[in-house]
Amino acid sequence: MIDTALHQGRRRKMVKGLAAKDTYNERVIGAMSVVPRHAFVSAGLDSMAYEEKPLAIACGQTISQPSTVALQSHLLGDIRGKKVLEIGTGCGYQTAVLLQMGADVYTIERHKELCTVANGNLKRCGYGNAHLFLGDGHKGLPQFAPFDSIIVTCCANGIPQALTSQLAVGGRMALPVERGKGVQMMVLVTRISESEYRQEDIGLCSFVPMLEGVVK
Ligand code: SAH
């Protein structure tokens, strides 16, 4: 992985812009100042990697803009030493940010090709400790539950029940939810007790849809 002075300068500028919003905790800012975002996007998009824009990755999917990655990472709370489940590995950038924040990350992707891409990107950048799974994220990973936090990086039609049931008591889940007519809301779900959940609307957002099944 090559991290030139030019990349480092662009990354500093991106992080400065995020820090200026005074919204995200210092662990998010710290992690995003280290993870080489340019190493996760397609070679042709290298120069745009640190701009406040979503970018195309393989299989017609997109990597979220930096502020969206920061927001979701922030919503999960203090994840140092915690077990985190991510739905939608994509190119692995968000996975790397969570690992850099000190979490033990389990991540599911439905496109086999993206699993391979993410695996390569993460290993190249020194994040070989991610647990990657090819599968349908609607089901979560019951064999590794409960999770202290869950992050969904594709937009579900509702809140998948399998995922709320795999959240530890006191745990948080940040997910975009479709509210009809193409309106997507970032929702924060907190599990208060075995049977109670709190749900909070955070703000409008834009993600690729969460789809059923696996693409091999
Ligand atoms: N976190 C990613 C964002 C990728 S976009 C990154 O940093 O690059 C969202 C991803 O969710 C896409 O790769 C898409 O294929 C995946 N996805 C959509 N539905 C899914 C499902 N049911 N299970 C797992 N992954 C899914």
Side-chain angles (χ1 to χ4, degrees):
M1 194 272 297
I2 301 160
D3 195 20
T4 65
L6 191 60
H7 293 126
Q8 291 168 26
R10 288 179 184 145
R11 190 158 66 248
R12 264 198 301 277
K13 195 166 163 230
M14 172 192 83
V15 170
K16 209 171 154 198
L18 293 172
K21 295 191 183 189
D22 212 14
T23 303
Y24 319 113
N25 68 55
E26 69 277 17
R27 292 175 301 279
V28 173
I29 297 295
M32 291 183 72
S33 48
V34 174
V35 179
R37 187 169 156 96
H38 66 277
F40 289 84
V41 304
S42 319
L45 297 176
D46 185 286
S47 65
M48 291 167 76
Y50 293 99
E51 291 177 21
E52 179 52 22
K53 283 182 186 149
L55 295 175
I57 54 174
C59 306
Q61 304 302 308
T62 53
I63 172 174
S64 302
Q65 65 220 56
S67 62
T68 304
V69 173
L71 175 65
Q72 285 199 285
S73 306
H74 173 81
L75 290 173
L76 301 182
D78 189 352
I79 54 172
R80 280 175 295 182
K82 300 285 177 67
K83 202 155 92 178
V84 175
L85 173 65
E86 177 190 31
I87 310 300
T89 318
C91 66
Y93 175 69
Q94 173 76 72
T95 316
V97 171
L98 299 172
L99 287 163
Q100 188 64 46
M101 287 172 73
D104 182 21
V105 185
Y106 292 73
T107 181
I108 313 177
E109 170 57 53
R110 68 185 286 272
H111 281 281
K112 190 173 183 201
E113 186 184 334
L114 282 171
C115 277
T116 307
V117 169
N119 187 36
N121 289 344
L122 287 162
K123 289 219 167 105
R124 222 161 5 97
C125 296
Y127 298 103
N129 50 342
H131 311 285
L132 275 75
F133 297 86
L134 173 66
D136 183 343
H138 285 99
K139 300 177 190 149
L141 288 173
Q143 66 275 40
F144 296 105
F147 295 96
D148 299 301
S149 299
I150 300 179
I151 173 170
V152 183
T153 67
C154 41
C155 187
N157 271 326
I159 301 178
Q161 204 264 321
L163 298 184
T164 49
S165 73
Q166 290 172 34
L167 197 57
V169 172
R172 294 157 168 239
M173 170 158 70
L175 81 165
V177 178
E178 173 76 43
R179 287 278 166 82
K181 299 201 176 92
V183 174
Q184 297 184 6
M185 180 61 73
M186 180 64 70
V187 175
L188 178 64
V189 177
T190 308
R191 186 166 194 174
I192 299 167
S193 69
E194 246 346 283
S195 58
E196 292 164 288
Y197 296 86
R198 187 175 57 229
Q199 207 177 302
E200 207 181 319
D201 286 356
I202 303 296
L204 296 174
C205 57
S206 178
F207 283 81
V208 294
M210 184 168 178
L211 301 171
E212 305 271 342
V214 167
V215 185
K216 291 203 174 162

